[in-house]
C-alpha cells in the first residue's frame, strides 16, 4: 500500500442537519470551495458559496479555512453549515428587523459564534460590531439578552481586530452602570471584563472608568460567584496598574482596610475559590502590585538632611533605652554608645546605615514599626544583645538592614507582575502591614538562629544565609495562611534542621556526581592502576605462602598432616613441601618445585580432581592443573575464604586472567572511591557539568607569548 | 592574539579532555592547572603535577580559583589563595593516600583500615570547611579537630 502517496487524503464524515451524513475522502490539495461544491451536489443543495465546513465540538466548532484545514485528521466528523458570511448576514438581519424573540435568539447565536475568528471578521466587516455597541449604549436589552450582547462584544474584541479606542464615553458609562447596579452574574462578569480591557487597552478610557467605578462597588462583587470575583479583582488590578503613585496609594489604602481584607479572606481564600489558576494569577498580581508600593522606600537612600529619618533613629534609641531611666543628658558620647548597642554599623552616624539600596529607607521603616508596635519584643531583643559581655551579640541594626534586603529579594519587590505568575502568599491578605509584620517575625527568628549558631560578627553572612533558607522554606508549599502560621513554621525550622537539609542535598548531589559522565570516565581510567595494586597485593600474599591441611586423593582430610606452598619472589616458581602444624618453611626448605609456566588452568570446587569422589564438594578447594606428565595437578583446600580468594586471585593473575573473587570487587571499590575523592579534592564545591563543555574553534595562530625553549 | 593573563592564573578542570588539538594539553577532571596566557576561548598553561609540559586547553573546561601572583612575568610564581588548613589537609590527604595504598599491598590490615577511616573523616571535615556554612566558632573547633587528627596520623 503506497501510504506516502495518499498521505494528503484523509477519510472523514460530514454531517448536516436533516441530511444523511456523507463519508468522503478529503483531499488536502483540493481547494475547500471545490470540496464544498461536491458535498452540496451530494445533498442537492444549490448556492454552494453560501456554505462552509465546521469542526465538531472537540474543536470549538470553528469554521474550517485554508489555514486550519491541516487540523483535519482521519476519522474527523465535520459539519456543513451556512458560511460565516451568510450567518453574519442572517444574524444582522434578525437584529435589525426581527421581533423581540427573534432578536434574543440571534444574540444568543452571536455569543456562541463570536469566538470564531473567521466569523468575527465577517461580522465586524458587515458593521455588526457597531450595531452591538449601539445596542449596549441605548440599553434596550435586559437580563439574558443583555448578557449575550456583552459577551458577544467581549468575544469580538478579543480577536484584536478593532482597537479599544473606538469606544466613546456613553458606552463606558453604560457598562459602568451595569457594574454599579445589581445585575445577573453573567452581565456583571462581562461588564467587569469589558472595563478591565478598557482600562488596560484604551488611551482615554482609564480616567473615565476610574471616575465612574467607586472602589466600593467592586469590593461588593468580591462575594459573588467565582468568575465575577475573579473579574472584579482583575479590574482592581488593572486600575492599580494604570494609577499614578498618589492614586495607587489611596486605592491601596482602601484595599488594605479590614473590611476588604475580610471580604477576600472569607469569600475567596477560605472558600477555595483561590485554587483556580486564573484566580491565583489575579491574586498574585494584586499581591505584587500592593507590595510594589514599598519599592519607592526600598530604592531611596537616606538623605543626611532627612529630619523624619533622624527622628526615627532617635526614637529607636529612646524606646530601647529610656525605660532604663538613664535617658537624656548623657551627651553625644552616650548616643554613640547607644547606637553601638543598637547594632548599627556606623554608630557615630547611623543614617549612613540606610544609604545602601535596596533596602534603603524601607529598613528604617520596618525597624521603627517593630519598635512602635512590638515594643516588648523590640526592647527584649536589643537589651539582651547589648548586655552580652562576649562577642556573641547579634547587631540589631545591621541584621535588620540585611533582613529587609533578603525579604525584598524573596518577595521580588519592585518587579512588575509576570504573565504566568500564580504563586501568592495568603498571609499578605491578612494584615494592614503584612510586610512589616513579616519583618517583625523574621527579626526575632534571626536573633534566635544567631544564638543557635553561637555566631559572632564575622559569621554575619552565614547567619543571613541560614535565615534566608528558613524563610524560603517557611513560605514554601503549602504557603502559611496567616502570620501566626508563618511564626509556627519558622519555629520548627531550627538551625540544625537547615544544616541537615543542606547535608542531605550535598549527599544527593554527590550521589548524582558519582554517576556523572566525567567521573565515570575517570573511574574507568584509574581502574587498571588499582587492579594492578590488587594484583601486587595478591602476589605478595602468595610469596609469603600458606600452610594447607593435607587431604587424601578421595577428598578426606588427613589429621595432623600439613604442607606449605609459596611463590618465589620472581613470581616464576611455586615451592612446596610437607611441614608441621607450626612451622613456616623458607623457599630453600621446601623440596618440591613447580614452574608457573607449567600451570595449565585453575580449577575450583567440584572441578578439582580431589573433590570428584566427594558427594558434597568443598567450597574452599582449588587445584592447579598442570602440563607435566609425572604430576597432573596440585590439589589444595584453603583454610578460610580469604585465603581461598587470595590464592585464586593470585593464580589467575599469574595466568594473566581476570581476578574474580568478591574480595577483589570490594577492594577495587574501596581503593577506587578513595582515589576518586583524592583526585577531586580541588574540585570540591565546583559544579560538574553532565555534558562536555563546548570546545571553541581552533586558535587562529600559535605564536605564544611565553615560549620557553 | 595570545595575551598573558593577569588574574586568571589558576584553576581546576571540571571535565576530562583528551587534548586532541594542536598543542593540546590533555586534562583529567579535578586536575589543577596554572595559566600563562589566553586567546579566544583558550588558555595555555600546564598541569601542576607536571610543570614542564605546556599546552592549550579550552577555557570552558576550567573553573578559575583565586590565587596570588608574585614576580609577574616569565618566572612568576602562583600560589592558590586557600584557607591554610584546607590546603594542609589536601596535601596531607594526598600524602597519606600513597602510604595507604602501600599499607594495602603490604597487607597491614589494621593500619589500612584505621588510616582509611581517618582519611574519610578528614575528607568530610574538609568538605564542611570548604562549604563555608560553618560559623567562626565551629570552623575553629573543626580546625582543631583536623590538626589533632593530622598529628595523630603523622606519628
Amino acid at each position: 500500500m503506497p501510504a506516502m502517496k495518499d498521505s494528503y487524503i484523509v477519510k472523514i464524515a460530514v454531517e448536516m442537519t436533516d441530511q444523511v451524513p456523507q463519508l468522503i475522502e478529503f483531499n488536502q490539495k483540493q481547494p475547500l470551495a471545490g470540496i464544498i461544491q461536491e458535498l452540496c451536489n451530494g445533498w442537492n443543495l444549490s448556492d454552494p458559496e453560501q456554505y462552509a465546513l465546521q469542526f465538531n465540538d472537540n474543536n470549538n466548532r470553528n469554521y474550517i479555512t485554508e489555514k486550519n484545514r491541516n487540523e483535519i485528521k482521519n476519522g474527523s466528523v465535520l459539519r456543513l453549515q451556512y458560511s460565516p458570511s451568510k450567518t453574519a448576514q442572517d444574524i444582522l438581519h434578525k437584529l435589525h428587523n426581527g421581533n423581540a424573540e427573534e432578536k434574543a435568539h440571534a444574540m444568543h447565536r452571536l455569543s456562541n459564534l463570536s469566538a470564531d475568528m473567521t466569523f468575527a471578521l465577517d461580522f465586524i466587516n458587515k458593521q455588526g460590531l457597531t450595531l452591538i455597541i449601539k445596542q449596549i449604549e441605548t440599553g434596550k436589552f435586559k437580563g439574558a439578552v443583555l448578557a449575550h450582547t456583552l459577551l458577544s462584544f467581549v468575544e469580538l474584541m478579543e480577536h484584536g481586530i478593532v482597537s479599544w479606542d473606538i469606544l466613546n464615553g456613553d458606552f463606558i458609562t453604560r457598562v459602568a452602570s451595569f457594574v454599579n447596579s445589581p445585575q445577573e452574574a453573567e452581565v456583571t462578569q462581562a461588564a467587569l471584563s469589558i472595563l478591565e480591557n478598557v482600562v488596560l487597552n484604551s488611551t482615554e478610557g482609564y480616567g473615565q472608568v476610574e471616575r465612574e467605578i467607586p472602589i466600593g462597588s467592586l469590593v461588593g462583587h468580591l462575594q459573588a460567584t467565582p468568575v465575577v470575583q475573579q473579574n472584579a479583582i482583575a479590574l482592581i488590578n488593572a486600575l492599580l496598574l494604570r494609577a499614578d503613585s498618589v492614586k495607587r496609594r489611596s486605592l491601596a489604602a482602601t484595599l488594605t482596610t479590614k473590611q476588604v481584607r475580610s471580604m477576600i479572606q472569607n469569600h475567596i481564600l477560605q472558600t477555595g475559590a483561590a485554587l483556580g489558576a486564573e484566580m491565583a494569577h489575579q491574586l498574585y498580581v494584586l499581591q505584587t502590585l500592593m507590595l510594589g508600593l514599598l519599592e519607592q522606600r526600598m530604592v531611596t537612600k537616606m538623605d543626611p538632611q532627612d529630619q523624619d529619618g533622624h527622628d526615627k533613629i532617635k526614637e529607636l534609641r529612646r524606646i530601647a533605652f529610656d525605660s532604663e531611666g538613664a535617658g537624656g543628658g548623657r551627651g553625644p558620647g552616650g548616643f554613640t554608645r547607644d547606637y553601638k548597642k543598637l547594632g548599627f554599623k556606623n554608630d557615630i552616624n547611623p543614617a549612613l546605615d540606610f544609604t545602601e539600596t535596596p533596602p534603603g529607607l524601607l529598613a528604617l521603616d520596618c525597624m521603627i514599626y517593630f519598635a512602635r508596635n512590638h515594643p516588648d519584643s523590640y526592647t527584649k531583643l536589643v537589651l539582651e544583645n547589648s548586655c552580652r559581655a562576649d562577642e556573641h551579640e547579634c547587631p540589631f541594626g545591621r541584621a535588620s538592614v540585611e533582613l529587609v534586603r533578603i525579604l525584598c529579594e524573596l518577595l521580588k519587590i519592585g518587579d512588575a507582575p509576570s504573565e504566568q505568575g500564580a504563586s501568592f502568599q495568603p498571609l499578605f491578605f491578612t494584615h494592614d502591614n503584612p510586610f512589616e509584620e513579616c519583618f517583625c517575625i523574621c527579626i526575632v527568628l534571626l536573633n534566635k538562629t544567631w544564638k543557635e549558631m553561637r555566631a559572632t560578627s564575622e559569621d554575619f553572612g552565614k547567619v543571613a544565609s541560614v535565615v534566608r533558607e528558613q524563610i524560603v522554606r517557611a513560605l514554601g508549599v503549602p504557603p502559611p495562611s496567616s502570620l501566626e502560621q508563618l511564626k509556627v513554621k519558622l519555629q520548627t525550622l531550627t538551625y540544625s534542621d537547615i544544616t541537615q537539609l543542606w547535608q542531605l542535598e550535598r549527599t544527593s548531589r554527590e550521589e548524582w556526581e558519582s554517576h556523572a559522565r566525567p567521573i565515570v570516565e575517570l573511574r574507568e581510567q584509574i581502574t587498571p592502576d588499582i587492579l594492578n595494586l590488587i594484583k601486587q597485593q595478591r602476589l605478595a600474599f602468595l610469596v609469603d605462602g600458606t600452610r594447607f591441611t593435607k587431604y587424601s586423593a578421595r577428598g578426606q582430610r588427613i589429621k595432623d598432616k600439613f604442607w606449605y606452598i609459596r611463590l618465589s619472589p620472581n613470581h616464576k616458581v611455586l615451592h612446596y613441601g610437607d611441614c608441621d602444624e607450626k612451622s613456616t618453611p623458607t623457599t630453600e626448605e621446601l623440596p618440591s618445585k613447580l614452574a608457573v609456566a607449567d600451570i595449565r588452568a585453575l580449577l575450583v570446587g567440584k572441578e578439582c580432581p580431589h573433590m570428584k569422589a566427594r558427594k558434597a564438594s568443598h567450597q574452599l578447594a582449588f587445584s592447579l592443573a598442570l602440563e607435566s606428565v609425572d604430576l597432573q595437578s596440585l590439589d589444595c583446600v584453603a583454610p578460610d575464604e580469604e585465603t581461598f580468594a587470595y590464592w585464586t586471585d593470585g593464580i589467575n593473575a599469574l595466568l594473566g586472567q581476570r581476578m574474580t573473587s568478591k574480595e577483589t570487587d570490594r577492594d577495587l571499590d574501596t581503593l577506587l572511591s578513595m582515589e576518586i575523592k583524592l583526585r577531586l579534592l580541588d574540585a570540591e564545591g565546583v559544579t560538574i557539568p553532565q555534558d562536555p563543555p563546548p570546545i571553541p574553534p581552533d586558535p587562529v595562530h600559535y605564536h605564544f607569548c611565553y615560549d620557553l625553549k | 592574539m595570545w595575551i598573558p593573563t593577569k588574574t586568571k592564573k589558576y584553576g581546576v578542570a571540571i571535565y576530562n579532555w583528551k587534548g586532541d588539538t594542536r598543542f593540546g594539553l590533555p586534562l583529567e577532571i579535578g586536575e589543577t592547572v596554572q595559566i600563562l596566557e589566553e586567546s579566544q576561548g583558550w588558555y595555555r598553561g600546564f598541569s601542576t603535577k607536571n610543570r614542564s609540559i605546556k599546552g592549550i586547553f579550552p577555557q570552558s573546561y576550567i573553573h578559575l580559583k583565586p590565587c596570588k601572583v608574585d614576580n609577574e612575568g616569565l618566572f612568576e610564581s602562583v600560589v592558590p589563595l586557600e584557607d591554610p588548613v584546607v590546603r594542609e589537609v589536601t596535601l596531607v590527604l594526598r600524602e597519606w593516600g600513597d602510604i595507604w595504598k602501600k599499607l594495602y599491598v603490604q597487607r597491614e590490615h589494621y593500619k589500612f583500615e584505621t588510616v582509611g577511616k581517618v582519611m574519610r573523616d578528614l575528607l568530610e571535615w574538609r568538605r564542611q570547611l570548604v562549604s563555608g556554612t560553618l560559623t567562626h566558632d565551629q570552623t575553629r573547633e573543626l580546625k582543631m579537630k583536623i590538626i589533632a587528627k593530622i598529628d595523630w596520623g603523622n606519628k
Side-chain angles (χ1 to χ4, degrees), chain A residues 220-376:
Chain A
H221 291 307
L222 293 182
Q223 43 195 332
T225 64
V227 184
V228 173
Q229 289 177 326
Q230 189 175 294
N231 289 4
I233 295 195
L235 178 53
I236 292 175
N237 285 338
L239 287 169
L240 271 172
L241 211 55
R242 288 292 300 268
D244 59 36
S245 68
V246 180
K247 282 205 182 115
R248 192 182 285 190
R249 255 166 229 290
S250 84
L251 201 53
T254 317
L255 291 172
T256 47
T257 55
K258 191 142 179 42
Q259 187 216 346
V260 181
R261 274 195 287 107
S262 56
M263 198 79 96
I264 295 180
Q265 188 72 20
N266 297 335
H267 296 283
I268 299 178
L269 295 178
Q270 283 175 8
T271 56
L275 297 175
E278 182 56 28
M279 182 59 102
H281 172 69
Q282 293 301 344
L283 289 171
Y284 152 80
V285 174
L286 182 58
Q287 171 189 313
T288 310
L289 292 172
M290 298 287 279
L291 286 175
L293 293 171
L294 301 167
E295 185 191 5
Q296 196 204 338
R297 295 292 280 175
M298 178 184 84
V299 297
T300 310
K301 290 179 187 172
M302 181 163 171
D303 189 304
Q305 315 297 328
D306 181 350
Q307 197 49 50
D308 173 63
H310 285 291
D311 288 347
K312 282 180 179 162
I313 293 171
K314 282 183 197 149
E315 191 180 341
L316 282 173
R317 193 200 68 82
R318 204 170 52 241
I319 297 175
F321 301 114
D322 275 8
S323 52
E324 287 179 296
R330 294 192 300 169
F335 272 65
T336 299
R337 204 165 48 236
D338 286 352
Y339 289 147
K340 198 177 168 68
K341 285 184 182 173
L342 275 169
F344 284 112
K345 257 196 267 184
N346 304 283
D347 42 27
I348 297 173
N349 180 12
L352 295 175
D353 277 34
F354 304 103
T355 48
E356 215 169 283
T357 58
L361 281 168
L362 186 59
L364 181 55
D365 294 350
C366 288
M367 290 163 78
I368 196 72
Y369 180 92
F370 181 46
R372 284 177 187 162
N373 295 281
H374 305 274
D376 292 347

Side-chain angles (χ1 to χ4, degrees), chain B residues 102-115:
Chain B
K102 284 208 187 80
L103 289 174
Y104 172 76
V105 174
Q106 293 160 356
R107 300 196 321 285
E108 297 270 7
H109 288 295
Y110 176 73
K111 281 190 195 164
F112 176 73
E113 292 296 332
T114 324
V115 173

Side-chain angles (χ1 to χ4, degrees), chain A residues 459 462 495 503 510 518 521 525 537 544 667 675 678-679 681-682 684 690 694 697 701 705-706, chain B residues 2 15-16 21-22 28 37 42 44 60 65 94 101 104 107 126-127 132 134 136-138 141:
Chain A
D459 301 320
K462 281 165 195 162
Y495 168 55
Q503 175 78 34
E510 242 175 45
E521 277 173 25
Q525 231 155 322
Q537 196 242 40
D544 282 353
D667 290 355
E675 185 68 22
L678 295 181
R679 294 283 193 111
L681 280 178
D682 287 301
E684 181 82 57
Q690 174 67 7
H701 66 79
C705 305
Y706 292 95
Chain B
W2 286 92
Y15 219 92
N16 305 306
T21 188
R22 202 174 161 208
E28 278 178 356
E37 51 196 309
W42 295 88
R44 181 167 174 269
S60 52
K65 295 196 145 198
R94 295 229 162 101
K101 284 191 277 193
Y104 172 76
R107 300 196 321 285
R126 180 185 178 278
R127 191 172 74 165
L134 300 175
H136 207 67
D137 269 13
Q138 289 170 325
E141 274 170 29

Side-chain angles (χ1 to χ4, degrees), chain A residues 12 28 72 182 244 252-253 305 405 424 434 437 464 528 579 610 680 688 694 701:
Chain A
I12 57 158
Q28 288 287 19
I72 302 173
D244 59 36
Q305 315 297 328
R405 200 192 57 72
F424 64 96
E437 285 293 328
C579 68
H610 60 308
L680 294 178
I688 289 164
H701 66 79

Side-chain angles (χ1 to χ4, degrees), chain A residues 150-160 162-167 171-172 175 179 189-207 209 231-239 241-242 278 282:
Chain A
L150 294 173
L151 188 62
S152 303
F153 176 78
V154 174
E155 296 282 11
L156 290 170
M157 292 302 284
E158 288 272 296
H159 298 295
V162 180
S163 154
W164 287 87
D165 281 329
I166 60 154
L167 302 174
F171 177 87
I172 295 171
V175 177
V179 170
Q189 113 196 6
L192 286 167
S193 163
I194 292 172
L195 293 184
E196 180 202 351
N197 277 300
V198 167
V199 170
L200 291 178
N201 301 317
S202 133
T203 3
E204 307 270 311
Y206 159 69
V209 175
N231 289 4
I233 295 195
L235 178 53
I236 292 175
N237 285 338
L239 287 169
L241 211 55
R242 288 292 300 268
E278 182 56 28
Q282 293 301 344

Side-chain angles (χ1 to χ4, degrees), chain A residues 91-100 102-104 106-107 110 123 127-142 145-153 156 167-168 170-171 174-175 177-178 194:
Chain A
I91 290 177
L92 277 171
H93 182 74
K94 287 279 166 13
L95 289 179
H96 279 298
N97 308 318
N99 60 29
E102 283 171 333
K103 279 185 183 168
M107 205 50 97
L110 178 62
F123 188 77
Q127 303 304 313
L129 186 65
T130 325
L131 177 73
I132 296 292
I133 293 174
K134 273 220 184 67
Q135 299 277 18
I136 295 173
E137 273 172 28
T138 52
K140 279 187 216 134
F141 295 141
K142 296 273 180 295
V145 190
L146 177 59
H148 288 138
T149 317
L150 294 173
L151 188 62
S152 303
F153 176 78
L156 290 170
L167 302 174
N168 62 27
D170 292 345
F171 177 87
R174 172 58 73 178
V175 177
S177 77
F178 297 141
I194 292 172

